[in-house]
Amino acid sequence: MQHSDPRSRFQSTQNIYHAAIQSGLILAQIPTCDGGTNESLRYGMVMAEELYAVDPSIALTILGTGLGLSPLLLFGNPAQKKEFLEPFLAKEGTPLASFVASEVGGNANWLDPSPTARGVQTFIEQDGDDHWILNGEKIWATNVGGWTSRGSDLMCVVCRTKDNSTPLSSMSIVIVTRFDIDANPADAFTIVDDFEMIGHRATSGPHIKFTNLRIPAKNMLCEPGSGAHAVETVFTASTCMVAAFSIGIMRTAFEKALIFAKSETRNGSQTIIHYQSVSDILISMKTKLETSRGLALRAVELLESQTSGELGYLAKIYCSESAVEVVADAMKVVGVDSYRADFGFGQLMENALVLPVFDGGNVGVRRRQVQKLFESEKYDPRISLD
């Protein structure tokens, strides 16, 4: 069945998501110490590669819930984890989580202290001693609209206090649940635009708006001043996951091109794998695939043993950009038939194109993070050798 709009395509995947929950794929993103089955970030990377190699849209919805839970898992207190994790620990229903960080207009300069910089425009204000009021607009947050466009079951929303303090000292993260949204007027949470995307066409990340959304004080996950560190921590770990997404796409592109080269003669006397020009391209593709996997695995080792994010940033940059290159190379191997929609290379390219520009774009965020490390007097260029 064809679905003409992004919302209906996303909703059509709910049964698959339910099967994923029953199979334990959400529990697999929750650490064992919190009631899940995940033993390490490397464990999550393996799962991410396998999922992305098959269907990036479904994979992003499943893994988007893991990202959405990450602030709670890393920074939640015991009472918050007990209350808010419960729906995700049961193998039933279709609960979605979302990390709601990206601002309309971009996040690359979200901590710019200049008075003329807009930065994060999602604000919280205290409402007495027991509530907060949330206002602002967000975009690109996977799963944020939920299955019915009334919000995901749990959102970790990056926001700041509305005062004269700097972005760094005012940044916060609050938890918003579907229960909170239902307890507010209908216009407190709205979908501004459920726009069409180039790739990941069955994934949801709409433009949403909070208007005087009232949430309990207990939903404060990261107090003002601690939110920036939490966001940086979550998005450092996610570099390795995007590297795994990229590896999954590269793997599929390489295998499709290899099968084609070993089975097609293109009306010649031998299969095209025997032509050096074709094999040279395949060798280059496989090299990028394996170097990407090796870099990503080393990045995880350093992140877990030394909390060093450098190789994670480099892995996100290298793997995501290599994914686009590898898909293009696969199309060169196949030739003009790769331009046919039914061959699947167009869809691979559409999905690969977002990898360098989301989860902290390589130009606006990730390369600047590496540059900042290099500029530091304390930078050790040999840290990856330890």
Side-chain angles (χ1 to χ4, degrees):
M1 179 180 178
Q2 294 293 321
H3 298 275
S4 60
D5 63 277
R7 186 175 301 181
S8 62
R9 282 197 297 272
F10 173 64
Q11 291 170 337
S12 74
T13 68
Q14 189 169 2
N15 287 338
I16 301 173
Y17 186 81
H18 178 62
I21 285 182
Q22 290 182 314
S23 299
L25 295 183
I26 301 303
L27 282 176
Q29 299 176 78
I30 300 173
T32 53
C33 60
D34 291 313
T37 60
N38 186 286
E39 297 179 353
S40 68
L41 185 54
R42 179 170 181 164
Y43 179 95
M45 277 186 60
V46 171
M47 182 177 74
E49 177 184 335
E50 295 299 324
L51 290 173
Y52 242 78
V54 177
D55 190 313
S57 281
I58 301 297
L60 192 58
T61 300
I62 295 168
L63 299 167
T65 285
L67 178 65
L69 293 174
S70 293
L72 173 61
L73 294 168
L74 291 168
F75 301 102
N77 60 45
Q80 288 172 328
K81 289 184 179 182
K82 182 178 181 181
E83 177 179 357
F84 297 119
L85 272 181
E86 184 178 356
F88 300 93
L89 295 175
K91 289 185 177 181
E92 56 187 37
T94 53
L96 293 167
S98 180
F99 186 32
V100 189
S102 294
E103 294 276 319
V104 177
N107 268 39
N109 301 298
W110 69 303
L111 293 179
D112 187 339
S114 169
T116 60
R118 284 176 54 81
V120 171
Q121 291 293 297
T122 305
F123 294 102
I124 51 166
E125 297 179 88
Q126 277 195 296
D127 182 25
D129 294 329
D130 55 356
H131 283 85
W132 291 93
I133 301 294
L134 181 65
N135 282 282
E137 298 182 34
K138 294 288 190 179
I139 196 169
W140 295 116
T142 301
N143 299 336
V144 69
W147 298 114
T148 62
S149 299
R150 290 299 300 151
S152 57
D153 297 82
L154 182 141
M155 308 174 208
C156 291
V157 183
V158 179
C159 52
R160 60 176 170 142
T161 52
K162 198 167 188 176
D163 51 33
N164 293 322
S165 58
T166 65
L168 185 63
S169 62
S170 63
M171 206 63 63
S172 315
I173 299 179
V174 296
I175 294 171
V176 176
T177 68
R178 178 61 187 273
F179 177 82
D180 297 322
I181 292 172
D182 288 343
N184 275 265
D187 63 354
F189 176 90
T190 54
I191 304 290
V192 178
D193 185 16
D194 217 341
F195 49 86
E196 192 73 75
M197 295 185 287
I198 293 174
H200 294 82
R201 291 168 60 81
T203 302
S204 175
H207 177 179
I208 60 101
K209 184 177 182 179
F210 300 109
T211 305
N212 295 323
L213 182 74
R214 197 165 183 259
I215 58 174
K218 64 182 175 64
N219 287 28
M220 175 61 70
L221 183 62
C222 297
E223 295 283 348
S226 65
H229 168 71
V231 172
E232 294 281 3
T233 300
V234 171
F235 276 130
T236 295
S238 69
T239 58
C240 298
M241 298 304 290
V242 177
F245 300 171
S246 306
I247 294 163
I249 286 180
M250 281 188 270
R251 192 179 90 185
T252 298
F254 172 75
E255 291 175 358
K256 284 170 70 72
L258 181 65
I259 290 170
F260 185 91
K262 295 175 77 171
S263 60
E264 280 286 339
T265 65
R266 307 316 280 163
N267 292 329
S269 59
Q270 59 184 344
T271 54
I272 64 171
I273 189 71
H274 296 293
Y275 295 102
Q276 185 174 347
S277 57
V278 171
S279 290
D280 281 349
I281 295 174
L282 289 168
I283 290 167
S284 176
M285 293 169 64
K286 190 62 160 63
T287 301
K288 288 176 182 176
L289 170 59
E290 296 301 341
T291 53
S292 293
R293 185 179 284 116
L295 177 58
L297 290 174
R298 182 62 178 141
V300 166
E301 290 177 5
L302 281 183
L303 191 58
E304 293 187 325
S305 64
Q306 302 180 18
T307 65
S308 171
E310 179 188 358
L311 288 194
Y313 304 145
L314 294 175
K316 197 275 180 179
I317 295 166
Y318 179 78
C319 298
S320 62
E321 293 176 3
S322 292
V324 177
E325 295 167 358
V326 166
V327 175
D329 282 345
M331 296 179 73
K332 294 175 187 176
V333 170
V334 174
V336 70
D337 278 349
S338 68
Y339 202 61
R340 288 174 46 168
D342 59 337
F343 269 51
F345 290 100
Q347 189 175 36
L348 278 174
M349 181 60 83
E350 289 170 347
N351 289 326
L353 284 172
V354 78
L355 299 173
V357 297
F358 84 159
D359 192 72
N362 291 354
V363 173
V365 178
R366 299 307 186 182
R367 292 181 185 274
R368 289 168 65 185
Q369 288 175 317
V370 178
Q371 177 188 348
K372 186 176 180 181
L373 290 175
F374 288 173
E375 290 173 346
S376 172
E377 294 296 327
K378 297 180 180 179
Y379 174 69
D380 178 6
R382 299 184 181 182
I383 190 170
S384 61
L385 300 179
D386 294 343

